[in-house]
Every structure is written in structure tokens, then in C-alpha cells.
Amino acid sequence: MLTPPGMGGQYRITGDKYPRMRPPRRRARLVAAVVASVAVVALIGWGTLQLIDVFTGGAKKTTTAGSKTGCHTRADTAAQVKSLPKPGQITVNVYNATARTGLAKATADELKKRGFRIGNVGNAPGQYDKKVKTAGILVGPAAAQNTSLPVLATQLAGAEQRTDTRKGADLDLILGDGFKSLAAPTAADQALTKLTAPAPAPTATTKKGC
């Protein structure tokens, strides 16, 4: 019997037939099967993710609040109480532009009872005397337009409000021919309460596109 060179003595030749020398294929087949299995699993996983994106809206991601990053629910402003001066902080000059005597003093006394500070009391200056046909005119500095003038206006319904270039903060109440009396205390108090009541808080809004 002969052993071909390089066979390490594992094969012996008997007769006139030689053994077939083919490399083992079992390991290669195993590796190929594993690779194929991994590829199939990856393909199934990718397909599952695509289906999830289709049914959930693709790339849209929501936060726990249900809105995009940068989107938030907000309120424009909180309810704010209007800051207006109280009657005790307002000085009123009362002038009579009518032919009725004692009208300025009686009105000034009533305003004082309601908490206003009283300044000058007398006849109206020439530019107004006998020229005011309405119930009255309220005059004050420009700074009083949205502060003390509206407060004084609660005491005389329908009074015209004007501003001038005066330096002081005092207001003028000029009584005209249409004046009968100041507003009833209850009505004046209600008007003042309404004037200083806080504005209702706005409802929450969400940014467009959220």
C-alpha cells in the first residue's frame, strides 16, 4: 500500500483507485444559512417599521403634551386689574357755567362726600360761561385721559371729556345748562366698579401648525 505525499498518512492506496480529495463544504453551507437568516430578519424588521410609519403619520413625532417641539399652548395675557386713581387722589375744580346760583358749591359738597378732593369753586371762565348746553364738561391734562378723567366721569353720566396743556393734575368740572344732578351714588359706584374691574382672562391659544 502506498500513501500519496502530503496526505499525512490518512489515506492508503490499495489497488488501482485513489481517494477523492475535495474540501469539506458543510461549514460553508452553515455560514451561508446564518447570513441568509439574518438578512431575512432584517428585511422583516424594516418592513414592519415602514408599516408603522404609514399608519402613524410618518415622521410626525408628538411630545407627551401632543404638540411639536417649539409648539405650546399659551394664553395671550393674564387678567389684569386696571390701575386707576381713587377719588381721594383726584382734585376737582367745580365751575358753574349756568345762570343758576349756588350750583357749583352744592355740587362740590356732594363730590366731597363721595371722596373727591375739592379745589376751586366758582363761576366758569369766560370761554365756557353761558356756553355749555350739555350737562357738563370735564377738563384735565393729557395724562388724565385714561386715568382720573374716566373716574370723575362716573359721577356725571354723559359728560364730555377734554384735555388741555395744563401742567397740574387737577380736573375741572364745568356744569352746563343740561345739568340736573350728579349720578346717584349707587349708579356711580357701579360705574366705578365696572371701570376698574379686571378684564376677563383670554382663552388659551395654540400656535398655528401645531
Side-chain angles (χ1 to χ4, degrees), residues 40-50:
V40 170
V41 171
L43 183 60
I44 293 174
W46 180 82
T48 302
L49 290 177
Q50 293 302 311

Side-chain angles (χ1 to χ4, degrees), residues 7 11 19-29:
M7 297 300 292
Y11 299 92
R20 295 180 180 179
M21 293 179 290
R22 292 181 180 178
R25 296 181 179 178
R26 181 175 297 177
R27 181 175 299 176
R29 291 176 180 176

Side-chain angles (χ1 to χ4, degrees), residues 33-110:
V34 171
V35 172
S37 299
V38 171
V40 170
V41 171
L43 183 60
I44 293 174
W46 180 82
T48 302
L49 290 177
Q50 293 302 311
L51 288 174
I52 291 174
D53 284 344
V54 169
F55 288 105
T56 58
K60 291 183 180 179
K61 294 182 179 180
T62 57
T63 63
T64 55
S67 59
K68 293 180 181 178
T69 303
C71 294
H72 58 278
T73 300
R74 64 182 179 82
D76 293 337
T77 53
Q80 296 181 348
V81 177
K82 296 179 181 179
S83 180
L84 295 175
K86 296 180 179 180
Q89 299 173 306
I90 301 174
T91 299
V92 183
N93 303 315
V94 184
Y95 298 116
N96 182 8
T98 74
R100 290 176 282 174
T101 60
L103 191 60
K105 185 178 184 308
T107 304
D109 289 343
E110 181 60 28

Side-chain angles (χ1 to χ4, degrees), residues 147-198:
T147 56
S148 55
L149 272 176
V151 174
L152 180 58
T154 62
Q155 308 301 311
L156 182 58
E160 179 185 352
Q161 299 179 41
R162 299 181 183 178
T163 60
D164 57 17
T165 57
R166 69 182 65 193
K167 295 181 180 180
D170 292 3
L171 305 181
D172 294 343
L173 169 56
I174 303 171
L175 304 174
D177 293 335
F179 177 81
K180 295 181 179 179
S181 65
L182 294 174
T186 301
D189 290 343
Q190 290 177 349
L192 185 59
T193 299
K194 184 177 180 180
L195 186 66
T196 58

